[in-house]
Amino acid sequence: MTSTPSAARWHWKTPSVIPGFGLTLGFTLAYLTLIILIPLAGLAWRSASLGWSDFFRLVMDPRTLGALKVSFSTALIAAVINVIFGVVTAWVLVRYNFPGRRIVDAMVDLPFAIPTAVAGIALTSIYAPNGLIGSLLAPLGIKVAYTPLGIIVALIAIGLPFVVRTVQPVMQEISQEVEEAAASLGANRFQTIFRVILPGLTPAILTGFALALARGIGEYGSVIFIAGNIPFVSEIAPLLIVIRLEEFDYGAATAIASVMLIIAFLMLLLINLTQAWSRRRFGYEQ
């Protein structure tokens, strides 16, 4: 008598709650490959074809280093400012009811809808020495337009929604009862903010900071009008890439883009590692 295979040898695939995993995963990988990986691979291949000597010669050009310094320093400053005031804005929108709150909430998204060139022209006309705000700052010796300060102003304008819209949903999940419990245990307002509320918001704040920083590093349209584009003073790296392309110097443009990509990747990686640490540290899961 022959024995039949035991039922334990059969392994049935457990159906997924959401079917179509293979199809959706394939579509995701194909989409990311076509839109992101292939262009980045082309950039890396073009940079490698330059050779190390030519690559470092182009990267270490004083004008290139100056443009990179302006782009990353202004983007970092603007992202830090956006984190501070973005969290405050989200707090006001979540915790307080006041006339026109919905209008203010909708205005936060305006930088997403307005073309960046239009935003740059509007900011330039306002902060120019003869502009509405620039004319008030000029007697004080403060010049905004055509300086790095103007770049920071433009990056603040286009980066604020990233922080607000990232922090706002998480802040809505924090119950006011938590604040009341902290107060009943003797915590003052500053202790409640810094030891109860902010730890739960830290991952969301870091995410908003990373998004605002990444947007600021690569921003072009809203900056070139207000920056003045003076080499070694207010010239940004994306503009220098365009200039090199117009000069048909594709090697220099590729080298600058590669360095921007590497530095931005390292900065975002550091932020993501800090975000992961904060999630483990405070036991927070999005």
Side-chain angles (χ1 to χ4, degrees):
M1 181 176 178
T2 59
S3 59
T4 58
S6 174
R9 296 183 181 180
W10 294 93
H11 299 282
W12 298 97
K13 182 178 180 181
T14 304
S16 173
V17 176
I18 302 177
F21 171 75
L23 179 61
T24 54
L25 177 62
F27 175 80
T28 301
L29 295 178
Y31 186 83
L32 292 177
T33 300
L34 292 174
I35 302 300
I36 298 178
L37 296 182
I38 291 180
L40 293 182
L43 179 63
W45 176 82
R46 179 73 181 184
S47 301
S49 65
L50 294 173
W52 288 111
S53 59
D54 290 338
F55 180 81
F56 282 109
R57 176 181 60 81
L58 295 171
V59 170
M60 299 306 294
D61 179 73
R63 186 175 179 182
T64 300
L65 294 177
L68 291 172
K69 179 181 177 181
V70 171
S71 289
F72 283 94
S73 61
T74 54
L76 182 61
I77 294 173
V80 172
I81 295 175
N82 275 329
V83 163
I84 298 173
F85 291 98
V87 172
V88 173
T89 302
W91 177 266
V92 171
L93 293 176
V94 172
R95 284 291 187 262
Y96 300 102
N97 291 319
F98 54 91
R101 186 176 70 89
R102 294 184 180 273
I103 298 177
V104 175
D105 193 16
M107 289 176 59
V108 172
D109 294 327
L110 282 179
F112 289 147
I114 298 177
T116 56
V118 175
I121 294 173
L123 290 172
T124 304
S125 62
I126 293 174
Y127 287 98
N130 58 349
L132 179 63
I133 300 179
S135 60
L136 300 177
L137 297 177
L140 302 176
I142 302 176
K143 185 178 181 181
V144 178
Y146 318 123
T147 65
L149 181 58
I151 300 176
I152 295 175
V153 171
L155 297 183
I156 290 174
I158 58 98
L160 180 65
F162 290 96
V163 179
V164 176
R165 292 310 183 213
T166 304
V167 175
Q168 187 176 1
V170 180
M171 190 175 293
Q172 289 174 340
E173 297 179 358
I174 300 179
S175 175
Q176 293 186 3
E177 296 178 355
V178 176
E179 305 169 29
E180 296 172 357
S184 65
L185 294 174
N188 56 40
R189 293 302 299 172
F190 288 100
Q191 290 175 328
T192 303
I193 292 173
F194 289 101
R195 302 187 65 177
V196 177
I197 298 176
L198 284 184
L201 294 176
T202 299
I205 292 174
L206 291 175
T207 301
F209 174 77
L211 293 174
L213 178 64
R215 174 66 185 272
I217 292 173
E219 180 60 23
Y220 177 81
S222 62
V223 174
I224 57 174
F225 295 100
I226 197 173
N229 308 320
I230 304 173
F232 305 103
V233 177
S234 59
E235 184 179 55
I236 59 175
L239 175 62
L240 186 57
I241 293 175
V242 174
I243 293 174
R244 297 309 185 203
L245 291 175
E246 292 177 346
E247 297 172 347
F248 300 100
D249 192 352
Y250 301 116
T254 303
I256 299 172
S258 299
V259 172
M260 289 189 66
L261 177 63
I262 294 172
I263 298 176
F265 175 79
L266 293 176
M267 294 177 68
L268 294 177
L269 177 62
L270 178 61
I271 294 172
N272 288 331
L273 292 177
T274 306
Q275 183 184 38
W277 173 84
S278 65
R279 286 175 177 172
R280 295 192 300 267
R281 172 67 174 80
F282 299 110
Y284 173 83
E285 292 292 340
Q286 286 185 336

